[in-house]
């Protein structure tokens, strides 16, 4: 088992080859709204039906997409390392469906919904949960409305303590498929550099924070990642 301590952060680009739209595809629009304006508590308060339609469409799409070679490469990496942490900005379940374990979804997940009273999350992916009708919780005596179990802009990302500790302690920090626009995710590479890690980027094109990486591979993750993973597993073996 390889002793390298590797942390990986993925963004929408790793799911692009599975057919999942990235944030900046099509100008990042939903029903003519900027996604950054839909994925906010304010939008949920003002027009919950529109926000609900946005998430229900993406939850339904989960059933039509499959993991790609980039997801499988990270599962292979995890299976051959003693110390590995996978952090994702993505809210799809393609990492889990490719066999990755203990995935840290720092921006939440599409599979689960959250009760607005108890704040408890539960997996709700039955056909009756995927309509445009409001979903009711099963945790309160008086069933109440549920919201997407997503970290919106202006909300605190999840698992941040575990994420910061893993980044501080890694030898190699790899970012796959992210435009480096959104913080605190986009700032993790700076933390990794400060911790003395070797930082690697795999992205279709050079993102905003490309200069922060020691090593940059530009192209589709499905093509580049399998080769990078086998090279890494040969190091320190
Ligand atoms: C926070 C869930 C503080 C939603 C997402 C005002 C108030 C508060 C905060 C802020 C503010 N102004 C700015 C901020 C900070 C804000 C932020 O960074 N805004 C940006 C727009 C400037 N951040 C936040 O609000 C965060 N919270 O700061 O909290 C706080 C502190 C204390 C107490 C309370 C609060 C929360 C941000 C989380 C937002 N939620 N996701 C949903 O999914 O519906 S963000 C969403 O966009 C994604 O999760 C992702 O993180 C982000 C960016 O998307 P990417 O994954 O990078 O995807 P993108 O499309 O941009 O790029 C894809 C890349 O892949 C491209 O580069 C492309 O070239 C590449 N690619 C494409 N195909 C391939 C490929 N690469 C390889 N292979 C391919 N085949």
């Amino acid at each position: 088992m390889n002793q390298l301590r590797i942390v990986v952060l993925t963004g929408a680009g790793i799911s692009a080859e599975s057919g999942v739209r990235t944030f900046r595809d099509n100008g990042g629009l939903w029903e003519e709204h900027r996604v950054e304006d839909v994925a906010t508590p304010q939008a949920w308060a003002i027009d919950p039906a529109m926000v609900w339609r946005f998430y229900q469409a993406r939850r339904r799409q989960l059933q039509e997409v499959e993991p790609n070679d980039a997801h499988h490469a990270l599962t292979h990496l995890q299976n051959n390392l003693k110390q590995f942490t996978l952090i994702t900005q993505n809210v799809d379940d393609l990492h889990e469906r490719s066999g990755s374990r203990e995935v840290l979804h720092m921006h939440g997940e599409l599979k689960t919904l959250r009760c607005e009273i108890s704040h408890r999350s539960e997996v709700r992916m039955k056909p009756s949960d995927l309509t445009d009708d409001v979903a009711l919780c099963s945790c309160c005596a008086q069933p109440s409305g549920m919201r997407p179990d997503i970290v919106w802009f202006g909300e605190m990302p999840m698992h941040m303590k575990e994420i910061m500790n893993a980044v501080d302690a890694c030898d190699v920090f790899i970012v796959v498929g992210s435009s480096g626009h959104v913080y605190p995710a986009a700032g993790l590479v700076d933390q990794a550099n400060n911790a003395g890690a070797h930082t690697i980027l795999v992205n279709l094109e050079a993102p905003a924070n490309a200069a922060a990486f020691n090593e940059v591979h530009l192209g589709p993750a499905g093509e580049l990642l399998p080769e990078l993973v086998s090279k890494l597993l040969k190091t320190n073996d």
Side-chain angles (χ1 to χ4, degrees):
M1 198 64 107
N2 193 302
Q3 303 299 322
L4 267 183
R5 298 167 302 177
I6 297 184
V7 173
V8 177
L9 167 69
T10 61
I14 199 169
S15 297
E17 289 161 76
S18 297
V20 179
R21 274 182 49 186
T22 68
F23 270 75
R24 279 143 195 97
D25 273 350
N26 180 27
L29 291 180
W30 170 263
E31 295 182 356
E32 304 320 313
H33 299 275
R34 276 176 3 107
V35 168
E36 275 88 351
D37 299 334
V38 175
T40 67
Q42 294 75 13
W44 178 246
I46 295 162
D47 189 349
M50 182 271 288
V51 177
W52 187 248
R53 282 197 303 275
F54 173 57
Y55 284 98
Q56 289 300 76
R58 292 169 70 195
R59 282 160 38 83
R60 288 190 290 265
Q61 196 207 16
L62 283 184
Q63 303 168 92
E64 297 149 22
V65 294
E66 294 294 329
N68 65 61
D69 290 346
H71 295 104
H72 296 313
L74 293 183
T75 302
H76 178 66
L77 185 61
Q78 179 170 34
N79 291 341
N80 288 277
L81 286 177
K82 269 182 86 169
Q83 292 194 59
F84 177 82
T85 302
L86 177 54
I87 306 159
T88 188
Q89 301 172 85
N90 300 337
V91 292
D92 63 55
D93 60 346
L94 293 175
H95 282 304
E96 288 86 349
R97 286 167 52 197
S98 128
S100 292
R101 302 172 308 283
E102 295 156 56
V103 182
L104 297 176
H105 283 270
M106 65 185 294
H107 291 161
E109 296 185 69
L110 287 173
K111 265 187 339 199
T112 46
L113 295 177
R114 192 189 312 167
C115 171
E116 295 235 68
I117 304 295
S118 72
H119 307 301
R120 279 180 41 185
S121 304
E122 56 182 271
V123 175
R124 293 285 291 267
M125 287 299 285
K126 294 195 303 292
S128 56
D129 296 321
L130 297 172
T131 70
D132 281 351
D133 299 337
V134 169
L136 293 178
C137 79
S138 50
C139 55
C140 302
Q142 180 65 30
S144 52
M146 302 189 89
R147 61 163 273 183
D149 196 14
I150 297 288
V151 175
W152 283 325
F153 288 96
E155 294 186 323
M156 179 58 105
M158 299 177 180
H159 313 296
M160 283 312 291
K161 193 164 175 308
E162 194 174 349
I163 288 170
M164 308 293 262
N165 291 341
V167 172
D168 275 342
C170 72
D171 302 307
V172 180
F173 179 72
I174 309 170
V175 174
V176 185
S178 184
S179 62
H181 268 97
V182 174
Y183 287 80
L188 292 177
V189 58
D190 301 323
Q191 187 190 334
N193 283 322
N194 294 339
H198 178 67
T199 50
I200 303 174
L201 172 72
V202 176
N203 211 60
L204 193 62
E205 64 224 355
N209 60 350
F213 293 88
N214 301 126
E215 195 180 323
V216 174
H217 302 264
L218 296 184
E223 285 170 31
L224 296 179
L225 208 46
E227 196 182 323
L228 175 65
V229 162
S230 45
K231 204 177 85 183
L232 283 167
L233 289 176
K234 285 196 187 82
T235 326
N236 280 23
D237 219 357

